[in-house]
Amino acid sequence: MKKISPLIILVIISALFIFYRFVDIPRYLAYDEVEFAKLALSLQNKPYIPYSSLATGHSTLYFYILLTSLKTFGVNVFALRFPAAIFGILSVLLFYLIMKKTFKQSNNETMKQLFPFFLTTVFLTSRWFLNFARFSFEATFLLFLELVSIYFLILANAKVTNFLRLGTPRLYFILSGLFAGLAFNSYTPGRIFFLLPLGFLLFKKQFNNLPAGRQGEIMKQLLLFLIPFVIVITPLTSYLLNNKDTRIDQQFFLRNHEMTVNEKVNGLWSNVSSTTLMLFTKGDMNGRHNYPGKPALNPILGILFIIGLLTSIKNYKDLYNKLFLFYFLISLFPALMTYPWENPNMLRTYTVIPAIVYFIGLSISEIFKITKQKYLWLIIIIIVFSSFYELRTYFKYQSTVFNQSFEIKLPLEKAIKVKTLL
């Protein structure tokens, strides 16, 4: 019960926050939500297809799950948003399990038990996370798949590090590859996620200080990861080799042959600066993604994030610092490759949240070391205040913006029958 109780409590708290006034905030539907429902329903009673050109083009894995929800609960708002909510709750649990592994080095038993839970509540109460768990976009599904892959990767590494002579924990590598492949088949930014576990495994010799003679073992681990990954991505990859991905063609501005090199360089710099400012000064202006213009991080979390990021760069040789620095960069990359006027974008950078909260945790952990935990309760009070501030901003202020940003006022069952919504 001591091990299970934090998970049970997190499920209850997550469900309360995510399902509170679930069909009322947002009250109306986004145009994309209606298009997603149409895409999901178009898959019914047909052979499996890996990609659909509907709704500007999407791989279909998430939409088969969405179809199951619509068939189970009926064509309504609850059914449309239910999968995103469930994957949001599961993401919270996975994040907790990952934090338990990454911050287990504390000598204080209370800290070892409470800190991952405490940090997970920061993750859960972030407006950035909570917002997309409450309507029907694919972001929480992708986040869940990535976190599962990372979790099994960490388990595999822990097993190899502590029990090197006992052989490779094959199942963990296989599962990590499987979920990296599923991430490839989900929301478009997930197509590059596999570079994170693949890079981790390629540099395992450096990470784990394995003797040179164990390179054959590393190759076996790579194969255990790659075989399920390649099998899972084959249907979608085969389709994309013969057909254009319309969404990437529309958004990948570096492919635009009508733009000059100077325009592309300026566009890239604009994306870097606007994405950076999104965290601290000027956030996403899209009312579906954010309270328009409000930074993604409040001042408390922003300061802790900067301290933690600098600490991770300073201690770059640490295994988990490398892992989350790479995850941070991979998660920002898709937004940097889209047209400058599409940025800042808190949807396309959604999977950066775990890395940001990890850096916040790293910052708090360093403060504990320096102060020898003298100001433990003060820091806890500050973080609790930050969480209440985030929740208050979302439910009191950002929710009022939804009345204008979610433009479809019709019930879902009627909206899907209208040919032209806008």
Side-chain angles (χ1 to χ4, degrees), residues 36-37 39-52 58-72 83 87 138 141 185:
F36 290 168
L39 195 163
L41 292 169
S42 74
L43 302 172
Q44 193 169 8
N45 301 322
K46 292 180 180 178
Y48 172 77
I49 57 170
Y51 187 90
S52 172
H58 288 267
S59 53
T60 57
L61 178 61
Y62 176 73
F63 296 94
Y64 279 105
I65 297 171
L66 197 56
L67 174 62
T68 302
S69 180
L70 291 168
K71 290 175 70 176
T72 303
F87 288 117
E138 303 163 79
F141 179 55
N185 282 278

Side-chain angles (χ1 to χ4, degrees), residues 310-324:
L310 294 175
T311 301
S312 68
I313 294 171
K314 179 183 176 183
N315 301 321
Y316 179 69
K317 291 183 179 180
D318 179 85
L319 170 65
Y320 296 120
N321 288 347
K322 287 182 178 180
L323 180 68
F324 281 99

Side-chain angles (χ1 to χ4, degrees), residues 116-186:
F117 182 90
F118 176 65
L119 205 55
T120 304
T121 60
V122 175
F123 174 81
L124 168 62
T125 56
S126 163
R127 285 183 304 109
W128 196 351
F129 170 79
L130 196 61
N131 180 59
F132 291 102
R134 291 175 58 89
F135 61 103
S136 66
F137 287 16
E138 303 163 79
T140 55
F141 179 55
L142 171 60
L143 182 63
F144 166 73
L145 296 174
E146 291 186 357
L147 290 177
V148 175
S149 181
I150 289 170
Y151 180 62
F152 283 122
L153 191 68
I154 289 173
L155 285 183
N157 176 73
K159 191 77 173 177
V160 170
T161 301
N162 296 324
F163 305 102
L164 188 59
R165 296 182 180 180
L166 298 181
T168 302
R170 297 178 180 180
L171 180 61
Y172 296 148
F173 290 113
I174 291 170
L175 290 173
S176 182
L178 172 66
F179 279 92
L182 293 173
F184 185 95
N185 282 278
S186 63

Side-chain angles (χ1 to χ4, degrees), residues 86-360:
I86 292 300
F87 288 117
I89 293 170
L90 293 174
S91 295
V92 170
L93 299 183
L94 262 297
F95 184 77
Y96 169 75
L97 294 174
I98 291 170
M99 291 300 101
K100 276 197 73 175
K101 293 294 180 184
T102 55
F103 287 102
K104 65 180 181 180
Q105 69 273 21
S106 173
N107 294 323
N108 186 298
E109 192 62 30
T110 303
M111 276 289 297
K112 194 181 293 185
Q113 295 298 325
L114 292 181
F115 191 72
F117 182 90
F118 176 65
L119 205 55
T120 304
T121 60
V122 175
F123 174 81
L124 168 62
T125 56
S126 163
R127 285 183 304 109
W128 196 351
F129 170 79
L130 196 61
N131 180 59
F132 291 102
R134 291 175 58 89
F135 61 103
S136 66
F137 287 16
E138 303 163 79
T140 55
F141 179 55
L142 171 60
L143 182 63
F144 166 73
L145 296 174
E146 291 186 357
L147 290 177
V148 175
S149 181
I150 289 170
Y151 180 62
F152 283 122
L153 191 68
I154 289 173
L155 285 183
N157 176 73
K159 191 77 173 177
V160 170
T161 301
N162 296 324
F163 305 102
L164 188 59
R165 296 182 180 180
L166 298 181
T168 302
R170 297 178 180 180
L171 180 61
Y172 296 148
F173 290 113
I174 291 170
L175 290 173
S176 182
L178 172 66
F179 279 92
L182 293 173
F184 185 95
N185 282 278
S186 63
Y187 187 37
T188 307
R191 304 234 184 113
I192 62 170
F193 167 75
F194 76 95
L195 295 173
L196 176 65
L198 185 62
F200 182 96
L201 293 172
L202 285 172
F203 295 102
K204 180 172 276 292
K205 179 177 181 294
Q206 178 186 353
F207 285 173
N208 289 332
N209 295 316
L210 293 176
R214 304 305 294 269
Q215 291 179 358
E217 183 176 316
I218 297 170
M219 291 304 299
K220 290 179 183 177
Q221 294 168 6
L222 276 169
L223 287 173
L224 288 168
F225 172 84
L226 286 172
I227 289 172
F229 172 76
V230 171
I231 290 171
V232 170
I233 71 168
T234 295
L236 179 59
T237 304
S238 299
Y239 175 89
L240 295 176
L241 286 173
N242 297 297
N243 302 273
K244 285 186 177 181
D245 187 327
T246 53
R247 191 61 176 162
I248 289 181
D249 284 346
Q250 288 172 357
Q251 296 295 330
F252 189 23
F253 81 100
L254 295 181
R255 277 187 182 177
N256 190 332
H257 300 297
E258 296 180 4
M259 294 177 69
T260 65
V261 173
N262 188 52
E263 287 174 332
K264 291 178 181 179
V265 171
N266 289 336
L268 190 58
W269 172 248
S270 175
N271 285 343
V272 171
S273 59
S274 63
T275 302
T276 303
L277 293 175
M278 175 186 77
L279 300 175
F280 308 108
T281 58
K282 185 180 180 181
D284 194 328
M285 296 300 295
N286 188 326
R288 290 186 294 276
H289 301 173
N290 185 36
Y291 185 82
K294 194 170 184 66
L297 303 177
N298 66 52
I300 295 170
L301 298 183
I303 292 169
L304 292 172
F305 162 68
I306 292 173
I307 295 171
L309 180 62
L310 294 175
T311 301
S312 68
I313 294 171
K314 179 183 176 183
N315 301 321
Y316 179 69
K317 291 183 179 180
D318 179 85
L319 170 65
Y320 296 120
N321 288 347
K322 287 182 178 180
L323 180 68
F324 281 99
L325 278 169
F326 194 20
Y327 194 22
F328 180 76
L329 295 173
I330 280 181
S331 298
L332 293 178
F333 184 79
L336 302 183
M337 295 298 105
T338 58
Y339 284 97
W341 52 83
E342 298 272 347
N343 288 306
N345 194 307
M346 290 170 67
L347 173 59
R348 290 178 188 147
T349 53
Y350 187 71
T351 57
V352 81
I353 302 173
I356 287 176
V357 179
Y358 169 80
F359 295 137
I360 290 168

